[in-house]
Amino acid sequence: MATSSALSSAYGRPKPTGGLELWSWVFMRVSGLLLLVLALGHLVIMHLINSVDAIDYDFVARRYIGWFWRSYDLLMLVLAMVHGLNGLRVILDDYLHQPVQRRIAAWLLYGIGGALTALGIVAVVVFQPPSSVGVP
Amino acid sequence: MSRYRGGIGQWSWMFHRITGVGVLVFLCLHILDTFLIVLGPEHYNAIIAWYRHPVFRVSEVGLFACVLYHSLNGVRIILFEAWTGLVRWHRQMFYVQMAIFAVCMLPVTYLMLRPVFGR
């Protein structure tokens, strides 16, 4: 379709016709919409409703007594890292053309990205607020 | 950076990439600083104090701007893909997007930088 191909070349990535690339294309849109709410919500809560002057260990400990903000942060973390790493993969594919370059880039991307995501998940899941927090 | 035909389509696309990479770099650093919460209050509070430095506060406004631009531009891409006829109004839609961006960033910048000026 002439309109859609002209549109794609000017605005977004052309929609892949199938396989993993189609899933990646769909994921970027679905996760993008979810992150619009989660990440902008996170910024509004942390920087407008609260501020960096209010954020410290006790602030996080009070927030992490329940499961709600932990789940929120966990979902945002995983979606943002996969969305970001996949976006960077698409960008790198535009600049790296030799298979060996792409292989090295992919290993670095998934290695470093995977390790950081795991570290973030550990922090969100493992952190135990001290028992003194939350007692009025 | 590659340059294609120029104009709004190319610039909005290039900014989408730049803001995306910028937010990803911050996110990686943010995972590392947040991880210090596991090690105890003295480590976490020490690193979080950096965020109150004026240079960081200005960078945080930049981060907000990157996330907001990337979100709005992403929504515009999704709208184009859903209704291809909208491409006729692509210029107007970009202006509307940037108007929303400016209207949001004015109070955000004021609220986030107020402490720098002692208010």
PDB file of all heavy atoms in Angstrom, chain B residues 68 72 95-110:
ATOM      1  N   LEU B  68       8.649  12.637  28.288  1.00  0.00           N
ATOM      2  CA  LEU B  68       7.405  13.223  27.770  1.00  0.00           C
ATOM      3  C   LEU B  68       7.431  13.290  26.238  1.00  0.00           C
ATOM      4  O   LEU B  68       6.452  12.905  25.582  1.00  0.00           O
ATOM      5  CB  LEU B  68       7.189  14.621  28.372  1.00  0.00           C
ATOM      6  CG  LEU B  68       5.875  15.295  28.024  1.00  0.00           C
ATOM      7  CD1 LEU B  68       4.672  14.481  28.515  1.00  0.00           C
ATOM      8  CD2 LEU B  68       5.811  16.707  28.632  1.00  0.00           C
ATOM      9  N   LEU B  72       4.802  11.247  23.825  1.00  0.00           N
ATOM     10  CA  LEU B  72       3.888  11.931  22.908  1.00  0.00           C
ATOM     11  C   LEU B  72       4.178  11.542  21.461  1.00  0.00           C
ATOM     12  O   LEU B  72       3.271  11.274  20.670  1.00  0.00           O
ATOM     13  CB  LEU B  72       4.002  13.451  23.076  1.00  0.00           C
ATOM     14  CG  LEU B  72       3.521  14.029  24.408  1.00  0.00           C
ATOM     15  CD1 LEU B  72       3.865  15.510  24.499  1.00  0.00           C
ATOM     16  CD2 LEU B  72       2.018  13.829  24.583  1.00  0.00           C
ATOM     17  N   TYR B  95       2.691  19.846  15.440  1.00  0.00           N
ATOM     18  CA  TYR B  95       2.573  21.125  16.160  1.00  0.00           C
ATOM     19  C   TYR B  95       1.729  20.956  17.420  1.00  0.00           C
ATOM     20  O   TYR B  95       2.053  21.497  18.475  1.00  0.00           O
ATOM     21  CB  TYR B  95       1.970  22.208  15.252  1.00  0.00           C
ATOM     22  CG  TYR B  95       2.859  22.576  14.071  1.00  0.00           C
ATOM     23  CD1 TYR B  95       2.306  22.994  12.865  1.00  0.00           C
ATOM     24  CD2 TYR B  95       4.240  22.500  14.171  1.00  0.00           C
ATOM     25  CE1 TYR B  95       3.116  23.318  11.782  1.00  0.00           C
ATOM     26  CE2 TYR B  95       5.058  22.815  13.101  1.00  0.00           C
ATOM     27  CZ  TYR B  95       4.496  23.231  11.904  1.00  0.00           C
ATOM     28  OH  TYR B  95       5.296  23.539  10.837  1.00  0.00           O
ATOM     29  N   VAL B  96       0.631  20.188  17.309  1.00  0.00           N
ATOM     30  CA  VAL B  96      -0.221  19.929  18.478  1.00  0.00           C
ATOM     31  C   VAL B  96       0.580  19.194  19.555  1.00  0.00           C
ATOM     32  O   VAL B  96       0.542  19.548  20.742  1.00  0.00           O
ATOM     33  CB  VAL B  96      -1.469  19.105  18.080  1.00  0.00           C
ATOM     34  CG1 VAL B  96      -2.218  18.599  19.312  1.00  0.00           C
ATOM     35  CG2 VAL B  96      -2.395  19.932  17.197  1.00  0.00           C
ATOM     36  N   GLN B  97       1.359  18.193  19.116  1.00  0.00           N
ATOM     37  CA  GLN B  97       2.200  17.422  20.036  1.00  0.00           C
ATOM     38  C   GLN B  97       3.166  18.346  20.778  1.00  0.00           C
ATOM     39  O   GLN B  97       3.311  18.252  22.004  1.00  0.00           O
ATOM     40  CB  GLN B  97       2.968  16.377  19.232  1.00  0.00           C
ATOM     41  CG  GLN B  97       4.018  15.622  20.035  1.00  0.00           C
ATOM     42  CD  GLN B  97       4.910  14.778  19.140  1.00  0.00           C
ATOM     43  OE1 GLN B  97       4.480  14.312  18.083  1.00  0.00           O
ATOM     44  NE2 GLN B  97       6.142  14.578  19.544  1.00  0.00           N
ATOM     45  N   MET B  98       3.820  19.252  20.043  1.00  0.00           N
ATOM     46  CA  MET B  98       4.797  20.131  20.676  1.00  0.00           C
ATOM     47  C   MET B  98       4.124  21.180  21.559  1.00  0.00           C
ATOM     48  O   MET B  98       4.712  21.635  22.551  1.00  0.00           O
ATOM     49  CB  MET B  98       5.703  20.789  19.623  1.00  0.00           C
ATOM     50  CG  MET B  98       6.645  19.810  18.924  1.00  0.00           C
ATOM     51  SD  MET B  98       7.406  18.570  20.011  1.00  0.00           S
ATOM     52  CE  MET B  98       8.651  19.553  20.841  1.00  0.00           C
ATOM     53  N   ALA B  99       2.878  21.549  21.214  1.00  0.00           N
ATOM     54  CA  ALA B  99       2.126  22.485  22.061  1.00  0.00           C
ATOM     55  C   ALA B  99       1.803  21.811  23.396  1.00  0.00           C
ATOM     56  O   ALA B  99       1.985  22.407  24.465  1.00  0.00           O
ATOM     57  CB  ALA B  99       0.853  22.932  21.355  1.00  0.00           C
ATOM     58  N   ILE B 100       1.355  20.540  23.340  1.00  0.00           N
ATOM     59  CA  ILE B 100       1.075  19.789  24.571  1.00  0.00           C
ATOM     60  C   ILE B 100       2.352  19.668  25.396  1.00  0.00           C
ATOM     61  O   ILE B 100       2.361  19.867  26.614  1.00  0.00           O
ATOM     62  CB  ILE B 100       0.507  18.378  24.245  1.00  0.00           C
ATOM     63  CG1 ILE B 100      -0.832  18.489  23.522  1.00  0.00           C
ATOM     64  CG2 ILE B 100       0.358  17.547  25.518  1.00  0.00           C
ATOM     65  CD1 ILE B 100      -1.358  17.166  22.980  1.00  0.00           C
ATOM     66  N   PHE B 101       3.467  19.375  24.700  1.00  0.00           N
ATOM     67  CA  PHE B 101       4.765  19.241  25.362  1.00  0.00           C
ATOM     68  C   PHE B 101       5.127  20.527  26.111  1.00  0.00           C
ATOM     69  O   PHE B 101       5.478  20.499  27.290  1.00  0.00           O
ATOM     70  CB  PHE B 101       5.832  18.913  24.306  1.00  0.00           C
ATOM     71  CG  PHE B 101       7.239  18.840  24.843  1.00  0.00           C
ATOM     72  CD1 PHE B 101       7.698  17.689  25.465  1.00  0.00           C
ATOM     73  CD2 PHE B 101       8.101  19.920  24.725  1.00  0.00           C
ATOM     74  CE1 PHE B 101       8.991  17.608  25.954  1.00  0.00           C
ATOM     75  CE2 PHE B 101       9.402  19.856  25.223  1.00  0.00           C
ATOM     76  CZ  PHE B 101       9.847  18.696  25.837  1.00  0.00           C
ATOM     77  N   ALA B 102       4.989  21.671  25.431  1.00  0.00           N
ATOM     78  CA  ALA B 102       5.361  22.954  26.050  1.00  0.00           C
ATOM     79  C   ALA B 102       4.451  23.284  27.227  1.00  0.00           C
ATOM     80  O   ALA B 102       4.928  23.709  28.289  1.00  0.00           O
ATOM     81  CB  ALA B 102       5.306  24.067  25.000  1.00  0.00           C
ATOM     82  N   VAL B 103       3.137  23.055  27.046  1.00  0.00           N
ATOM     83  CA  VAL B 103       2.180  23.362  28.112  1.00  0.00           C
ATOM     84  C   VAL B 103       2.470  22.524  29.353  1.00  0.00           C
ATOM     85  O   VAL B 103       2.321  22.990  30.484  1.00  0.00           O
ATOM     86  CB  VAL B 103       0.727  23.143  27.607  1.00  0.00           C
ATOM     87  CG1 VAL B 103      -0.268  23.089  28.759  1.00  0.00           C
ATOM     88  CG2 VAL B 103       0.349  24.234  26.614  1.00  0.00           C
ATOM     89  N   CYS B 104       2.915  21.271  29.167  1.00  0.00           N
ATOM     90  CA  CYS B 104       3.259  20.418  30.311  1.00  0.00           C
ATOM     91  C   CYS B 104       4.591  20.829  30.933  1.00  0.00           C
ATOM     92  O   CYS B 104       4.741  20.847  32.159  1.00  0.00           O
ATOM     93  CB  CYS B 104       3.346  18.956  29.892  1.00  0.00           C
ATOM     94  SG  CYS B 104       1.785  18.228  29.435  1.00  0.00           S
ATOM     95  N   MET B 105       5.581  21.143  30.088  1.00  0.00           N
ATOM     96  CA  MET B 105       6.929  21.388  30.596  1.00  0.00           C
ATOM     97  C   MET B 105       7.052  22.703  31.379  1.00  0.00           C
ATOM     98  O   MET B 105       7.910  22.813  32.258  1.00  0.00           O
ATOM     99  CB  MET B 105       7.961  21.358  29.451  1.00  0.00           C
ATOM    100  CG  MET B 105       8.398  19.969  29.004  1.00  0.00           C
ATOM    101  SD  MET B 105       8.761  18.793  30.328  1.00  0.00           S
ATOM    102  CE  MET B 105      10.256  19.495  31.034  1.00  0.00           C
ATOM    103  N   LEU B 106       6.210  23.693  31.076  1.00  0.00           N
ATOM    104  CA  LEU B 106       6.305  24.968  31.797  1.00  0.00           C
ATOM    105  C   LEU B 106       6.094  24.787  33.300  1.00  0.00           C
ATOM    106  O   LEU B 106       6.986  25.102  34.084  1.00  0.00           O
ATOM    107  CB  LEU B 106       5.343  25.999  31.204  1.00  0.00           C
ATOM    108  CG  LEU B 106       5.836  26.679  29.905  1.00  0.00           C
ATOM    109  CD1 LEU B 106       4.739  27.547  29.296  1.00  0.00           C
ATOM    110  CD2 LEU B 106       7.092  27.507  30.167  1.00  0.00           C
ATOM    111  N   PRO B 107       4.930  24.238  33.735  1.00  0.00           N
ATOM    112  CA  PRO B 107       4.764  24.045  35.192  1.00  0.00           C
ATOM    113  C   PRO B 107       5.728  23.014  35.765  1.00  0.00           C
ATOM    114  O   PRO B 107       6.188  23.157  36.903  1.00  0.00           O
ATOM    115  CB  PRO B 107       3.309  23.576  35.329  1.00  0.00           C
ATOM    116  CG  PRO B 107       2.909  23.088  33.993  1.00  0.00           C
ATOM    117  CD  PRO B 107       3.714  23.874  32.998  1.00  0.00           C
ATOM    118  N   VAL B 108       6.065  21.975  34.989  1.00  0.00           N
ATOM    119  CA  VAL B 108       6.993  20.939  35.472  1.00  0.00           C
ATOM    120  C   VAL B 108       8.354  21.569  35.785  1.00  0.00           C
ATOM    121  O   VAL B 108       8.938  21.339  36.855  1.00  0.00           O
ATOM    122  CB  VAL B 108       7.146  19.804  34.427  1.00  0.00           C
ATOM    123  CG1 VAL B 108       8.345  18.915  34.760  1.00  0.00           C
ATOM    124  CG2 VAL B 108       5.881  18.961  34.360  1.00  0.00           C
ATOM    125  N   THR B 109       8.859  22.392  34.841  1.00  0.00           N
ATOM    126  CA  THR B 109      10.153  23.044  35.044  1.00  0.00           C
ATOM    127  C   THR B 109      10.103  23.959  36.262  1.00  0.00           C
ATOM    128  O   THR B 109      11.011  23.962  37.103  1.00  0.00           O
ATOM    129  CB  THR B 109      10.533  23.858  33.784  1.00  0.00           C
ATOM    130  OG1 THR B 109      10.423  23.001  32.644  1.00  0.00           O
ATOM    131  CG2 THR B 109      11.962  24.390  33.880  1.00  0.00           C
ATOM    132  N   TYR B 110       9.012  24.730  36.367  1.00  0.00           N
ATOM    133  CA  TYR B 110       8.875  25.642  37.513  1.00  0.00           C
ATOM    134  C   TYR B 110       8.894  24.866  38.824  1.00  0.00           C
ATOM    135  O   TYR B 110       9.664  25.188  39.739  1.00  0.00           O
ATOM    136  CB  TYR B 110       7.587  26.461  37.379  1.00  0.00           C
ATOM    137  CG  TYR B 110       7.291  27.283  38.608  1.00  0.00           C
ATOM    138  CD1 TYR B 110       8.034  28.426  38.901  1.00  0.00           C
ATOM    139  CD2 TYR B 110       6.288  26.899  39.500  1.00  0.00           C
ATOM    140  CE1 TYR B 110       7.790  29.173  40.037  1.00  0.00           C
ATOM    141  CE2 TYR B 110       6.027  27.637  40.647  1.00  0.00           C
ATOM    142  CZ  TYR B 110       6.777  28.770  40.905  1.00  0.00           C
ATOM    143  OH  TYR B 110       6.542  29.504  42.041  1.00  0.00           O
TER     144      TYR B 110
END
